[in-house]
Amino acid sequence: MSPAQKQHKPPTRVPYVGLRGMVFYPTTSISFEVNRSASIEALQEAMDGSRYVLLVAQKDPEEEMPRASDLYRVGSLAIVRQMAEISYGTIKVLCEGVTRVKIKTFSRRKGIGMATYEPLPDEDISQVDSLLLEALTRKIKASYEEYMYASGIFQHPNFIFQEILRLVQEEEDAYRLADMICMNLDFKLQDQQAQLEECQIIPRLESLLTLMGHEIQIMNITRGISEKVQDSIEQNQKEYILREQMRSIQEELGDNEEDDTHRLEVALEKSLMPEEFKEKVAVEIKKLSRMPANYPETGVQLNWLELLMELPFGKVDSEILDLGRARKILNRDHYGLDKVKERILEYIAVRALQVKAGDTSIKGPILCMVGPPGVGKTSIAKSIAEALGRKYIRMSLGGIRDEAEIRGHRRTYIGAMPGRILQGIRRAGTDNPLFLLDEVDKLGADFRGDPSSALLEVLDPEQNNSFRDHYVEFPYDLSKVLFITTANTIWDIPEPLLDRMEVIEVPGYTEEDKLQIARRHLLPKQMADHALQAKQLKVSPTALARIISWYTSEAGVRQLDRELARLCRRAAMQIADGKTDKLNVKLSDLEAILGKRKYDYEKAFQSDQVGQATGLAWTYAGGDTLTIEVNVMPGQGKIELTGSLGDVMKESAHAALTYIRSIADDLKLDPNFSSRLDIHIHVPAGAVPKDGPSAGITIATALASALTGYPIRHDLAMTGEITLRGRVMPIGGLKEKAVAAKRAGIKEIIIPKENERDVEDIPESVRKTMKIRPVSDASEVLKLALVKSGRDPHFKSLASPQADDQNSKSEDN
């Protein structure tokens, strides 16, 4: 309080004035205009009396006649220093703050608003953390200066603003500093009032800092918008003028060859094209400049030169050679596919060592992923590109029959264009993208050429550093490109092309793999696509497993993805109809939601059977069990094979029969049984084609059982090729076959000895619950499979000598 203020003590009841849209602070002075009669009378009463007046902010600035409820309860006591009439009905008043007060009562005296109050003293600063107070004070001063610059005030220097900034920087009292800044910043009325009502200095300064930061952000955004608008206006004006000038020039010249020529010359200077090519291209650009605009060759020449300028010619992106990051990305996007992931990680490791040793060569492998549809061959290529930090280009080769699709057309042809290889490089803008050649086994050939032959140069690391496209004409280096191809089978890939690629087998998924993929990837993706929250749809693990086994029959997961999408659609429909707010799918709900089951898998026999053996088969849809049935009857030595068997499987049946005949003595059979018996071998599901040699030992076991009468164990399945001498040869697809056996309830499987190395590929959950018997000879198979103790004592073998005796006796009688 100033000495002048201390000369007399303010009365406890003074006139009050409601301020519209502003808050007055006690340590400041303010000059403002008043035109409401009630406010003028209150100020005149103060001037005629003690000169003290209460300045209180209105809650609603639009209220013309505020009542007590329309005013805030905290205001400032001030002294009226000057009053002057500036026009009829309007006065200008200068007030000096005294202290912050809390209003106790409002009343009227002779029509003039009066109020009683009690002071709200400031906090004792000596009790405040001085270091924190100093830090906040400095930060506020810096923020205020930042606000002044952000607002653009200093772009138009003004003495008043410069003086205000100087006063703020020199102010030492924290309360006066806060009041001064609040009076000079345009905060919301509620925020200004909150600043007035806060008595503690630390919370007030912290709140003030937050408000200033918010205002600075708004100022920066506003200024950015203004600059963009101004730049846009200036750019539009500039473009308009240039277009008008260009149009005038072109009207005079009749063409725009000079512009095209100059543009191409500038692009040629920036191009990384080898110098020997640049000289030839420069000649072609000059040739273009001399061509008339309406000459047919002009457009052809211009298109060719523009393509050359857009090819990267040596421009490469930096590779990311982080093994941990790559492993994380590959595992994030795909479950399984371990061989592909391992090969890519090997490549990254080698590249990292090369870079460390200063080797700049980037010659990469040509990988060919071979596997059934839907297992992720195409999609993992995109993840590989992300893991390596390379651009991704995909080119589908399915149905391509024209060699020009690979090598391009001669540019003398009408409508000529480059091949799709260089078109992809052009789009990528770099010489080291990842280039996926999808469905390489679907290439065709006709009178237009053989595309697979054109790919020989592209996919040969020793030749593709100088690949020649017919359209481009100049040799182009493709050695930095990482080529990956995909195919469903290697049998349809031409041998010379296959020889240039490193083949990686991508097997189909087992049911357990599909379960993990559905749970981790497919179901969350479909739920997101159908706007379902995690709590709105839950599928039990048993139901998810049955969706896989009952509604899909595939090696990949495309049909599974479609079935899960169907499930999500049903859930979305029920939730949208208001029938439920969430759907918990259990095993019993599947048929109601997805319809009747589409597929069934064979189950193991419930008891030991004579002449029926369980084999294991591999299909594109995964593994499955295969029942082999054999029946014998008196006849003339005929053998009949049914069940839609292929040639290889028929040969296996003949080989198995020859082996059984060779061990007739061991089985106590008549050596000549085959000449007087008819044998019928049948594989059920006759509408399904079957082929392959791996059913050899299964057929031999079924034959031995039918001829001897010994049952075959019902909990045993087998797979293996058989030779004429009974040697058991290795087979493929052991992982899928073992999973199929477990699914069918088989407890023990027989596999070829040479397939022991593949046992580790079988899921651990299968290995733990199933006994695996490696064998090298068919005699071992018969010992394990035939249950000699379970033979029916009344069974009379048609192939045993005793049967011959019985037959001869019946003939004598």
Side-chain angles (χ1 to χ4, degrees), residues 22-23 139 195 227 242 245 258 287 316 330 537 552 642 697 730 733 750 765 779:
M22 61 178 289
V23 175
K139 180 62 178 176
Q195 283 288 309
E227 289 174 354
L242 290 175
Q245 292 176 347
E258 293 295 329
K287 186 186 297 184
V316 296
L330 295 176
L537 176 62
T552 68
T642 57
I697 63 172
I750 298 174
S765 59
S779 60

Side-chain angles (χ1 to χ4, degrees), residues 353-600:
L353 294 178
Q354 285 178 333
V355 171
K356 188 175 181 181
D359 186 357
T360 57
S361 63
I362 318 180
K363 188 177 294 185
I366 311 293
L367 303 179
C368 179
M369 295 185 287
V370 178
V375 295
K377 301 185 298 298
T378 302
S379 59
I380 197 173
K382 195 168 186 178
S383 301
I384 293 170
E386 181 185 351
L388 292 172
R390 295 194 181 202
K391 298 284 181 62
Y392 171 73
I393 308 170
R394 176 182 172 271
M395 174 181 170
S396 179
L397 299 177
I400 289 182
R401 295 178 176 273
D402 191 352
E403 181 185 350
E405 293 280 349
I406 308 297
R407 284 194 175 275
H409 306 84
R410 302 286 181 187
R411 61 187 175 105
T412 54
Y413 296 162
I414 296 174
M417 62 177 60
R420 292 171 65 180
I421 299 293
L422 286 192
Q423 285 185 41
I425 298 294
R426 176 190 189 181
R427 289 196 306 271
T430 176
D431 270 357
N432 67 333
L434 185 147
F435 210 124
L436 176 67
L437 300 174
D438 212 3
E439 307 291 355
V440 72
D441 57 332
K442 306 299 189 302
L443 282 170
D446 61 12
F447 64 92
R448 291 167 290 186
D450 185 0
S452 63
S453 299
L455 281 177
L456 293 178
E457 183 180 2
V458 175
L459 299 180
D460 191 338
E462 302 300 326
Q463 300 181 41
N464 62 11
N465 60 349
S466 58
F467 171 70
R468 281 188 179 271
D469 186 285
H470 290 156
Y471 185 84
V472 175
E473 296 182 359
F474 299 129
Y476 199 87
D477 186 4
L478 297 177
S479 62
K480 300 178 182 65
V481 180
L482 178 58
F483 285 104
I484 294 181
T485 66
T486 69
N488 295 132
T489 174
I490 62 174
W491 312 117
D492 295 324
I493 304 175
E495 190 65 32
L497 186 59
L498 184 63
D499 184 59
R500 284 165 168 76
M501 300 184 292
E502 179 182 341
V503 176
I504 300 178
E505 295 285 346
V506 183
Y509 294 119
T510 65
E511 284 197 11
E512 294 192 4
D513 292 338
K514 292 178 184 178
L515 186 62
Q516 294 298 327
I517 292 170
R519 184 175 60 83
R520 299 184 188 184
H521 301 286
L522 301 184
L523 187 57
K525 170 181 169 293
Q526 290 296 343
M527 289 177 64
D529 291 345
H530 292 81
L532 292 173
Q533 303 296 325
K535 63 182 180 181
Q536 291 180 307
L537 176 62
K538 293 186 181 300
V539 185
S540 71
T542 306
L544 198 56
R546 289 299 175 264
I547 291 174
I548 295 168
S549 60
W550 289 357
Y551 296 91
T552 68
S553 179
E554 55 179 346
V557 291
R558 285 189 182 137
Q559 181 62 31
L560 174 59
D561 195 33
R562 287 190 284 267
E563 293 297 332
L564 292 177
R566 185 179 172 195
L567 184 68
C568 291
R569 290 195 300 271
R570 293 298 180 90
M573 187 169 65
Q574 292 191 24
I575 293 171
D577 281 345
K579 295 180 179 178
T580 182
D581 57 352
K582 62 180 179 179
L583 185 64
N584 293 321
V585 181
K586 301 184 292 296
L587 180 61
S588 58
D589 302 325
L590 289 184
E591 291 199 2
I593 296 174
L594 299 179
K596 294 182 179 179
R597 57 192 296 182
K598 300 177 182 178
Y599 302 100
D600 289 298

Side-chain angles (χ1 to χ4, degrees), residues 14-33:
V14 296
Y16 69 86
V17 173
L19 301 180
R20 295 197 290 186
M22 61 178 289
V23 175
F24 179 70
Y25 294 87
T27 62
T28 62
S29 299
I30 187 173
S31 176
F32 59 96
E33 295 178 2

Side-chain angles (χ1 to χ4, degrees), residues 283-327:
V283 173
E284 296 292 336
I285 293 175
K286 290 181 181 179
K287 186 186 297 184
L288 174 67
S289 67
R290 296 192 295 268
M291 289 181 179
N294 57 355
Y295 192 61
E297 283 293 322
T298 303
V300 175
Q301 185 81 348
L302 180 60
N303 291 338
W304 178 67
L305 289 170
E306 286 179 339
L307 170 70
L308 290 179
M309 298 305 107
E310 292 174 3
L311 287 173
F313 276 111
K315 178 184 176 182
V316 296
D317 292 336
S318 58
E319 288 185 294
I320 301 176
L321 303 175
D322 186 340
L323 277 173
R325 175 181 177 275
R327 186 179 288 109

Side-chain angles (χ1 to χ4, degrees), residues 534-676:
K535 63 182 180 181
Q536 291 180 307
L537 176 62
K538 293 186 181 300
V539 185
S540 71
T542 306
L544 198 56
R546 289 299 175 264
I547 291 174
I548 295 168
S549 60
W550 289 357
Y551 296 91
T552 68
S553 179
E554 55 179 346
V557 291
R558 285 189 182 137
Q559 181 62 31
L560 174 59
D561 195 33
R562 287 190 284 267
E563 293 297 332
L564 292 177
R566 185 179 172 195
L567 184 68
C568 291
R569 290 195 300 271
R570 293 298 180 90
M573 187 169 65
Q574 292 191 24
I575 293 171
D577 281 345
K579 295 180 179 178
T580 182
D581 57 352
K582 62 180 179 179
L583 185 64
N584 293 321
V585 181
K586 301 184 292 296
L587 180 61
S588 58
D589 302 325
L590 289 184
E591 291 199 2
I593 296 174
L594 299 179
K596 294 182 179 179
R597 57 192 296 182
K598 300 177 182 178
Y599 302 100
D600 289 298
Y601 292 100
E602 291 190 15
K603 291 293 183 180
F605 299 123
Q606 297 300 313
S607 60
D608 300 341
Q609 302 289 327
V610 174
Q612 287 190 351
T614 302
L616 298 174
W618 178 91
T619 67
Y620 268 155
D624 201 358
T625 55
L626 195 70
T627 300
I628 306 292
E629 296 181 343
V630 176
N631 210 344
V632 296
M633 60 214 76
Q636 300 175 354
K638 294 180 181 179
I639 180 169
E640 189 170 357
L641 305 169
T642 57
S644 191
L645 307 183
D647 291 338
V648 176
M649 196 167 184
K650 289 178 180 178
E651 291 174 358
S652 293
H654 286 289
L657 179 58
T658 300
Y659 169 70
I660 295 299
R661 289 177 61 189
S662 70
I663 62 168
D665 290 341
D666 297 336
L667 296 176
K668 297 181 180 179
L669 300 176
D670 182 1
N672 299 318
F673 72 87
S674 61
S675 62
R676 55 185 181 75

